[in-house]
Amino acid sequence: MLNKVSKFFVNIVQRYLPDPFIFCILLTLFVFIVAMPLTGQGLLQMVQHWGNGVWGLLLFSMQMALVLVLGSAMASAPAVKKVLTKLASIPKTPFQAIFMVTFVAVIVCWLNWGFGLIVSAIFAKEIAKQLKNVDYRLLIASAYSGFAVWHAGISGSIPLTVGYVTETVTKQTNGVLTASVPTSETVFSIWNLVACLLILIILPIVNAKMHPSAKDTFVVDPKILEDEVPVIKKPETPAEKLENSVILSACVILLGTAYIVYEIVNGTFTLSLNSVNLIFLILGIAFHKTPISYIRAIMDSAKSAGGIILQFPFYAGIQGLMVGMNPVTGASFAGVISEAFVSISNATTFPLLSFLSAGIVNFFVPSGGGQWAVQAPIMLPAAESLGVSHGLAAMSIAWGDAWTNLLQPFWALPALGLAKLGARDIMGYCVIGLVVVGVIVSGCLLVAGALGM
């Protein structure tokens, strides 16, 4: 049954989903046209919102490009390849392979989304090299499906934001949040842990059950996935000896390691995108041993970052259109969507409806921080008036932001770059994951709302 349903969605997506860049342009046009009458703004105002926002994700774009490039370069090191090859040899059937990749992806993305996004894709790619009869598209889709839990994990930007309330956070919530919300009420709340556990158990089985029949299986040529092996010659000139100096690599490794240890000792170390990238950088240099070997790996990995470089400015522009306010009424497109859901909520249904509204907004504002800035001023005061806990309200937004990532090419770009696939190759399978995660989270939020958790 699942096989037939997934085949239907795969065929639909293959036929109608354009390249992610075209999808991005269509989203821009849609928001541009629809937002004007809903917010009472004119053409020139919307143009200004787009232009003001288009470079708003430059820092994040660079961070994400580095996640892809540094993670891929580290994985191409002989020592890392050896470990991955051994782990990838464990599954012996397509069912085992899909189950294992999904299971690992959910756990690793819950621990740290940036690390998990790349590691799970690399792991799936390695399995495809060894297991000849597994569907490569489903394998990569399964690796990406674990990303649905990232905002409910310990690296989620929203639970981290409310976990340390500053003056900025208080302003973002219109004065509602004046004290920090402990992780016991967000990430480690009973209902959230139950939701994550159910996804960890059910999603791997569902993904594995979707594996197509032998005649419909998309098997990738392992040679396509192999990295180029450079011709290494013995260094002769002073310049070549410097390029192959293990001592120079050791100096960089010691410098980076000393900084991380210093941060840990001082209690200021967090697994942010910057720290994850620094870890990837240090480990990459260490595993490649010589500077020139790492340079070659970086140059090869950088070829996959084109999608991020091209598309992220456009998503930043969409975000500008979504949050751009009417200077007179203060109305924004994202605000209109959020308020529509709030208007039909009560204490029991608010978490669920907040989750659904966040899922819709996430299509247009895929940045977690950006979405919080848009929805927090509306959702937190509404939760306060209905008697819904701050932690539950924040996590309902967080889950919505993570949930529809399964249909949002924005976050899939690093994994797709590593896998050498397009969005239409995996999104058909992700539709099923979207439904599974949506049902599980909706049920948990309804229970949490009814019990006042």
Side-chain angles (χ1 to χ4, degrees):
M1 180 63 181
L2 269 176
N3 183 285
K4 292 181 180 179
V5 174
S6 63
K7 184 178 180 180
F8 169 78
F9 283 113
V10 167
N11 290 336
I12 291 293
V13 169
Q14 285 280 349
R15 186 173 178 82
Y16 294 106
L17 183 68
D19 181 89
F21 181 54
I22 306 302
F23 180 76
C24 186
I25 294 175
L26 293 176
L27 278 182
T28 302
L29 295 175
F30 173 80
V31 175
F32 199 98
I33 294 170
V34 175
M36 283 192 287
L38 289 180
T39 62
Q41 300 185 81
L43 182 66
L44 183 58
Q45 287 174 309
M46 298 309 293
V47 169
Q48 289 177 317
H49 292 324
W50 182 85
N52 291 336
V54 74
W55 301 119
L57 292 177
L58 275 181
L59 172 61
F60 183 67
S61 301
M62 186 62 177
Q63 289 173 324
M64 288 301 292
L66 285 174
V67 163
L68 168 58
V69 174
L70 297 178
S72 180
M74 182 187 73
S76 68
V80 177
K81 277 186 173 182
K82 189 175 180 179
V83 174
L84 286 173
T85 300
K86 189 171 183 179
L87 290 174
S89 66
I90 295 174
K92 304 300 181 185
T93 66
F95 185 96
Q96 293 174 0
I98 301 301
F99 184 96
M100 186 175 181
V101 165
T102 310
F103 192 85
V104 169
V106 171
I107 292 175
V108 182
C109 286
W110 190 89
L111 292 173
N112 183 267
W113 68 267
F115 184 77
L117 188 63
I118 295 302
V119 168
S120 54
I122 291 171
F123 182 47
K125 187 177 172 182
E126 192 59 40
I127 288 178
K129 294 178 185 178
Q130 299 189 46
L131 198 60
K132 309 304 179 186
N133 59 341
V134 65
D135 191 280
Y136 184 54
R137 298 169 304 178
L138 178 56
L139 199 61
I140 299 302
S142 299
Y144 180 60
S145 66
F147 197 62
V149 304
W150 82 273
H151 238 326
I154 58 178
S155 67
S157 59
I158 290 177
L160 288 176
T161 297
V162 300
Y164 182 67
V165 171
T166 61
E167 185 179 342
T168 300
V169 176
T170 301
K171 288 181 180 178
Q172 285 178 332
T173 59
N174 281 332
V176 171
L177 281 186
T178 55
S180 298
V181 180
T183 54
S184 60
E185 297 179 19
T186 53
V187 174
F188 295 106
S189 62
I190 296 297
W191 73 266
N192 187 64
L193 291 176
V194 168
C196 292
L197 183 60
L198 288 173
I199 291 170
L200 180 63
I201 295 170
I202 297 172
L203 189 60
I205 296 174
V206 171
N207 283 347
K209 286 286 187 181
M210 283 194 291
H211 197 277
S213 60
K215 65 182 181 67
D216 294 323
T217 299
F218 178 84
V219 179
V220 68
D221 184 353
K223 293 180 181 178
I224 297 175
L225 304 179
E226 292 292 344
D227 300 310
E228 294 182 14
V229 180
V231 178
I232 301 174
K233 64 176 184 176
K234 184 179 179 180
E236 296 177 353
T237 67
E240 289 174 345
K241 289 179 180 178
L242 281 173
E243 292 170 348
N244 287 275
S245 172
V246 178
I247 295 175
L248 288 180
S249 292
C251 290
V252 176
I253 295 165
L254 287 172
L255 179 62
T257 303
Y259 173 75
I260 292 174
V261 171
Y262 174 81
E263 291 283 294
I264 292 173
V265 170
N266 281 275
T268 54
F269 179 80
T270 57
L271 270 178
S272 63
L273 271 179
N274 288 338
S275 60
V276 167
N277 278 330
L278 180 58
I279 291 170
F280 280 163
L281 176 65
I282 295 169
L283 290 178
I285 294 174
F287 287 131
H288 279 279
K289 297 181 181 179
T290 65
I292 194 64
S293 175
Y294 191 60
I295 289 170
R296 293 190 185 108
I298 289 291
M299 295 298 289
D300 187 57
S301 301
K303 298 173 186 176
S304 303
I308 293 174
I309 295 170
L310 173 62
Q311 293 173 45
F312 275 33
F314 283 86
Y315 277 110
I318 293 172
Q319 182 170 302
L321 293 172
M322 289 292 294
V323 304
M325 293 184 180
N326 184 314
V328 178
T329 65
S332 68
F333 189 20
V336 168
I337 295 172
S338 300
E339 287 169 354
F341 280 88
V342 168
S343 66
I344 58 173
S345 300
N346 56 42
T348 299
T349 62
F350 177 83
L352 172 61
L353 293 174
S354 178
F355 162 69
L356 295 175
S357 71
I360 293 172
V361 172
N362 181 58
F363 272 108
F364 311 102
V365 188
S367 164
Q371 183 155 351
W372 172 254
V374 169
Q375 292 198 278
I378 299 166
M379 293 305 186
L380 269 295
E384 177 104 325
S385 65
L386 291 171
V388 176
S389 71
H390 297 157
L392 180 56
M395 289 305 290
S396 65
I397 299 172
W399 267 112
D401 179 62
W403 174 46
T404 48
N405 284 332
L406 292 179
L407 286 185
Q408 171 52 270
F410 178 89
W411 291 105
L413 291 175
L416 292 172
L418 275 171
K420 301 178 181 178
L421 289 177
R424 65 167 66 96
D425 292 316
I426 70 168
M427 288 301 168
Y429 292 113
C430 289
V431 171
I432 307 298
L434 180 87
V435 174
V436 171
V437 172
V439 169
I440 292 172
V441 176
S442 295
C444 290
L445 285 170
L446 271 177
V447 172
L451 297 178
M453 300 175 75

